[in-house]
Amino acid sequence: MRRYDSFYANGAFVRSEGTSAMPVVDPSTGRTIGEVVPCTQENVDQAVRSACAGSEAWSQSTLEERSEALTRLHAELLKRTDEAVSLLAREMGCPVWLGQLMQVPMALKGLQFARDGIPQVTWIEQIGNGRVERVPAGVVAAITPWNFPLHQIVAKVAPAIAAGCSIVLKPSEVSPGAAQVFMEAVQCSGLPPGVVNMVWGGPDVGDRLVRHPDVRHVSFTGSTAVGRQIMAAAAEDLKPVTLELGGKSAAVLLGDADLETALTAVVRLSMANSGQACVSQSRLIAPRGLLEQIEGRLGAALESWPLGDPLDASTRLGPVASRSQHERVLAMVARAREQGARLVAEAGKVPEKFSQGYYVPPVVFSGVRPDMEIAREEVFGPVLSVMAYDSEDEAVALTNATRYGLSGAVWSADPARAAAFARRMKTGQVVINGAAQNLATPFGGWGWSGFGRENGRFGIEDLLQYRSLHGA
Ligand code: NAD
């Protein structure tokens, strides 16, 4: 049993004093493998006091000091790659290939891009007799989810360090190992005490942090429903918020797309991490004339996503992360069938020895209409919904028939045609013909996917205030 029983303040791990420990469950077996001891109000206050002192000191740091701190933190995290990969597999069911290829590398890149973003910020600008300075926002409260836990922590902590802010992190209680590994890297990186702090707990501890009077900015990644609650709580004290919320992203196949390449990628981007990605391409907008061929190819592509033990290198798909996810995804699949969605493919047998685990066989539905729940709501599971179109205008309308706007993809043999279509999509980012996601560009949503931006210089700018000095 792993015990996560110490929060982090003033550069040291300190015993958490909450009484009702939260279990950490291995989702491949359903067995409890650890526990998180939550923080009390006094523990949260202690972490915020530490952050106040940290903010005082770190706001005076030079840009070189911030850059060097990020370089050292990168080196410390890199050393802990194997440990992080194995904890991600055990605590949230992320297969080792994905931990090695995406979860940990994204976090490492996030540190590098924040460091590279420092000289890209216009820290001082002279306009006539006015000197415009960009100054750190102060103490940041960061609340993160469980699905890409290390990357999401870095996406908040790295820009805070670069901006000269201090931060109190409240990571997800579902996959705490990533946060523990990260804080051990922080401690060994030689960052001054108080710059990065962490508290353990669930929604109540998150809420206390958001409402703490000494917190000056709230940065949240998680569900749209909780994002609304956090924005309302922060509004009472007029705290600025960054909200990275859910998505219902569409991949659009234009009629001339290379189907083999596109569909292999669409299956990967809808199924990887068991569909538990905010940018998951959970809807496929496809030309009606090619539907039969597309459905056949999707079924075949799904065969290369076997379910298995997350710790086994040959496993492509593990379980979903928790019992509540399992129940939610299976219920949504059942309702999709009731509402008339047509099951085109279902792959993957749950391995016998994991019959108590939270496995969901990946599925593809076709004949999905915009009014169905499966087309409108985020599933956060290995479920792809195919929606057919007759004209490009109809494809645009289907793509934008959602209140979310986080990501999307377009496929066409003609890159200019794909880019023209991408510009009609109401979403924060669009991947054209399977291009790599560039983590130096702004990441964030429109509409119900939230607002504010992360990554590189954009994440740093999110945590800065303007100060104008007239006559300076
Ligand atoms: P969640 O919203 O349930 O919880 C996220 C975090 O908020 C957890 O740490 C939780 O303890 C905390 N929390 C819950 N209620 C709170 C409250 N009232 N006040 C303060 N803190 C509270 O989300 P989850 O289930 O952990 O993650 C899945 C969701 O996250 C999905 O909707 C997914 O799309 C979204 N997500 C978004 C992005 C993005 O960048 N846009 C990235 C990853 C995940």
Side-chain angles (χ1 to χ4, degrees), residues 27 92 146-147 174 223 273-277 319-333 358-360 378-382:
M92 59 151 297
W146 45 261
N147 60 321
V174 176
S223 61
N273 212 34
S274 298
Q276 301 165 121
V320 295
S322 63
R323 179 188 292 274
S324 61
Q325 268 299 106
H326 191 237
E327 288 169 1
R328 179 188 144 84
V329 176
L330 292 179
M332 286 185 84
V333 168
Y358 309 139
Y359 284 84
V360 177
E378 183 180 48
V379 181
F380 230 51

Side-chain angles (χ1 to χ4, degrees), residues 22 142-148 151-152 155-156 170-174 201-211 218 220-227 229-230 233 243-248 276-280 322 324-325 328 378 380 404 406 443-445 448-450 454:
M22 296 172 288
I143 299 178
T144 54
W146 45 261
N147 60 321
F148 278 80
H151 158 66
Q152 285 142 353
K156 304 204 180 300
K170 204 293 291 166
S172 168
E173 61 279 23
V174 176
D204 51 337
V205 172
D207 185 62
R208 277 184 208 142
L209 193 56
V210 169
R211 292 176 192 276
V218 177
F220 170 73
T221 297
S223 61
T224 297
V226 173
Q229 292 170 19
I230 286 184
L243 298 177
E244 299 288 356
L245 309 177
K248 193 70 208 174
Q276 301 165 121
C278 53
V279 294
S280 179
S322 63
S324 61
Q325 268 299 106
R328 179 188 144 84
E378 183 180 48
F380 230 51
Y404 295 99
L406 190 57
F443 178 78
W448 282 8
S449 294
E454 290 185 334

Side-chain angles (χ1 to χ4, degrees), residues 100-275:
Q100 286 163 345
L101 271 180
M102 266 193 94
Q103 297 255 10
V104 177
M106 277 178 87
L108 291 167
K109 276 194 193 146
L111 289 163
Q112 286 169 334
F113 284 128
R115 184 197 58 203
D116 297 349
I118 293 174
Q120 295 165 13
V121 173
T122 305
W123 294 94
I124 299 171
E125 194 181 347
Q126 194 72 32
I127 303 177
N129 77 337
R131 181 181 154 102
V132 180
E133 297 179 350
R134 305 214 69 181
V135 294
V139 176
V140 177
I143 299 178
T144 54
W146 45 261
N147 60 321
F148 278 80
L150 194 57
H151 158 66
Q152 285 142 353
I153 288 169
V154 166
K156 304 204 180 300
V157 175
I161 293 172
C165 295
S166 65
I167 194 159
V168 183
L169 169 70
K170 204 293 291 166
S172 168
E173 61 279 23
V174 176
S175 53
Q180 180 69 30
V181 166
F182 182 77
M183 294 313 299
E184 287 167 11
V186 165
Q187 192 175 39
C188 292
S189 73
L191 260 171
V195 178
V196 181
N197 309 274
M198 183 203 58
V199 291
W200 290 123
D204 51 337
V205 172
D207 185 62
R208 277 184 208 142
L209 193 56
V210 169
R211 292 176 192 276
H212 198 292
D214 291 332
V215 164
R216 299 312 327 145
H217 186 109
V218 177
S219 183
F220 170 73
T221 297
S223 61
T224 297
V226 173
R228 282 194 187 96
Q229 292 170 19
I230 286 184
M231 189 168 169
E236 287 179 21
D237 202 20
L238 293 176
K239 289 173 184 143
V241 288
T242 302
L243 298 177
E244 299 288 356
L245 309 177
K248 193 70 208 174
S249 302
V252 182
L253 281 187
L254 298 181
D256 59 354
D258 173 352
L259 291 189
E260 185 57 33
T261 313
L263 294 173
T264 306
V266 169
V267 168
R268 187 177 73 249
L269 291 164
S270 56
M271 300 298 165
N273 212 34
S274 298

Side-chain angles (χ1 to χ4, degrees), residues 298-310:
L298 286 172
L302 216 54
E303 295 299 329
S304 53
W305 287 84
L307 297 167
D309 183 348

